[in-house]
Amino acid sequence: IADDAAHSIPSFQKDNIGDYDIEVTSWQKTENEDGNEIKYRKSGATSDKIRTVTFTHPLSHTMGPSSAKTKKVHRFQRFGSHGSCLEIRTNCYGIPAADCFYLEERWLFESKNTSSSNDNGDEEKEGGITMRCKLQIYYVKSTMFRGFIDKNTKAECKSWCEEYGKMLQKSLQSEAEPTPSAPSPSTTEQHLQNIQGVEKKYTLCGINISKEVLLSIILVLMLASTLLVGFCLFLHSKVKTLEEEMNAWRRGNIMLMQEMRDILVLLHHEAVGSRSILQNALSSSKLSLE
């Protein structure tokens, strides 16, 4: 937790988590001399300091941005010989619904002084500390991604604390019992290799997606294109049927018009014949009268 700690939280973030662009301010008192710049609730702590940590955290979700800007405000309180408390408020930026929530963590460090009897009946004291981590997600706005945020945030924080605890145990054991070991790649290189080997990301319309999601999208597009081709064939058959019906209707109309024309010609001939007969009849009647 100290600024110059050998196994500090920022170094753990860089070497084990893969965070980058890490900037850490030095610890300062929670209240300045005027008491106006920094305001925190008062407590019975013998020491009360804060600092700010900003960094970029890589994301491994199948969809969405590949990283997120993050800001953590650390508040460290010491309560004499009883223990210490580290409160962390986290705000994320550049991800969906980032303005709808923030995180609060509380790390409790308590001294562990227990005594036990050995085989000879002598009392032996065992020292050490216990570390407990608590997490609370606060929502300042309603969001449809609440279930997704709860699930992923809790899982990632749990994994983070477990890895941090393992790192502390390993560091304490190595300091207590130093043993030579063969040279190996740095933890940072191993972590970057793990990140690169876990899953290859693809970019579609500016969104990073995994190989499985890309294959799913291609499959959906192929299915949609198949349905579109089938629909076009169906429309083509319907249009062809309508054309055949229109042609049949047109031929029927042409035959009907021809029949009507024949009827009109026949009527015309009959009218001309009737007129001739009438004129002949009138002429014969006029001759008889003379």
Side-chain angles (χ1 to χ4, degrees), residues 10-289:
S11 64
F12 171 77
Q13 292 181 234
K14 178 181 178 181
D15 298 338
N16 296 71
I17 305 301
D19 297 336
Y20 54 95
D21 296 338
I22 302 176
E23 296 182 2
V24 186
T25 63
S26 58
W27 288 103
Q28 56 182 334
K29 294 182 179 180
T30 56
E31 291 184 359
N32 293 333
E33 294 179 357
D34 54 7
N36 294 326
E37 292 189 9
I38 305 172
K39 293 184 180 180
Y40 272 95
R41 59 181 182 276
K42 295 182 178 181
S43 64
T46 57
S47 177
D48 198 343
K49 297 181 179 182
I50 66 167
R51 71 177 178 184
T52 303
V53 181
T54 58
F55 56 92
T56 302
H57 178 64
L59 301 176
S60 59
H61 306 313
T62 55
M63 298 187 68
S66 59
S67 61
K69 296 287 186 180
T70 308
K71 176 182 177 182
K72 288 180 178 285
V73 178
H74 292 181
R75 183 193 184 196
F76 179 74
Q77 297 175 301
R78 184 185 295 276
F79 298 90
S81 60
H82 300 288
S84 304
C85 176
L86 177 64
E87 294 181 348
I88 304 174
R89 172 165 175 162
T90 305
N91 291 87
C92 300
Y93 308 93
I95 60 175
D99 59 339
C100 297
F101 72 100
Y102 66 90
L103 311 178
E104 280 196 0
E105 302 172 62
R106 179 173 293 178
W107 297 11
L108 301 177
F109 303 91
E110 299 176 291
S111 59
K112 182 181 178 183
N113 295 322
T114 59
S115 59
S116 60
S117 300
N118 56 18
D119 296 337
N120 298 328
D122 298 330
E123 184 177 353
E124 294 182 350
K125 292 186 177 181
E126 298 179 359
I129 61 172
T130 59
M131 173 182 171
R132 291 182 295 171
C133 300
K134 297 182 180 180
L135 170 70
Q136 182 67 43
I137 305 174
Y138 293 94
Y139 288 90
V140 295
K141 296 180 182 178
S142 60
T143 172
M144 61 183 295
F145 300 106
R146 181 162 183 166
F148 177 81
I149 294 171
D150 288 342
K151 179 181 177 181
N152 288 275
T153 301
K154 291 178 181 178
E156 188 166 345
C157 288
K158 181 180 179 181
S159 175
W160 199 102
C161 291
E162 289 176 350
E163 291 297 324
Y164 185 70
K166 292 178 182 178
M167 186 273 291
L168 290 179
Q169 292 179 350
K170 185 177 179 180
S171 301
L172 292 173
Q173 290 176 359
S174 62
E175 291 178 359
E177 300 177 359
T179 56
S181 58
S184 60
S186 64
T187 310
T188 304
E189 293 177 354
Q190 292 178 356
H191 184 72
L192 292 176
Q193 291 174 2
N194 293 334
I195 293 177
Q196 294 174 357
V198 169
E199 186 179 20
K200 187 175 181 181
K201 307 286 285 188
Y202 297 87
T203 302
L204 180 64
C205 298
I207 301 176
N208 293 321
I209 58 177
S210 63
K211 181 179 180 181
E212 290 76 9
V213 175
L214 180 61
L215 292 176
S216 300
I217 294 175
I218 294 174
L219 182 61
V220 171
L221 291 176
M222 291 177 62
L223 180 61
S225 61
T226 303
L227 294 175
L228 183 60
V229 170
F231 182 69
C232 291
L233 292 175
F234 172 76
L235 288 179
H236 178 71
S237 62
K238 284 293 185 182
V239 170
K240 189 174 181 180
T241 303
L242 289 175
E243 287 180 352
E244 292 177 354
E245 292 178 355
M246 289 292 293
N247 291 332
W249 179 79
R250 190 180 297 111
R251 288 193 297 267
N253 286 340
I254 292 173
M255 294 177 63
L256 180 61
M257 292 177 66
Q258 289 178 349
E259 292 179 356
M260 293 180 65
R261 187 184 63 180
D262 294 339
I263 293 173
L264 291 174
V265 171
L266 181 60
L267 292 175
H268 176 70
H269 290 165
E270 291 180 355
V272 171
S274 299
R275 182 179 179 182
S276 299
I277 294 172
L278 182 60
Q279 287 178 352
N280 293 333
L282 289 174
S283 299
S284 59
S285 62
K286 184 182 293 186
L287 292 173
S288 60
L289 290 173

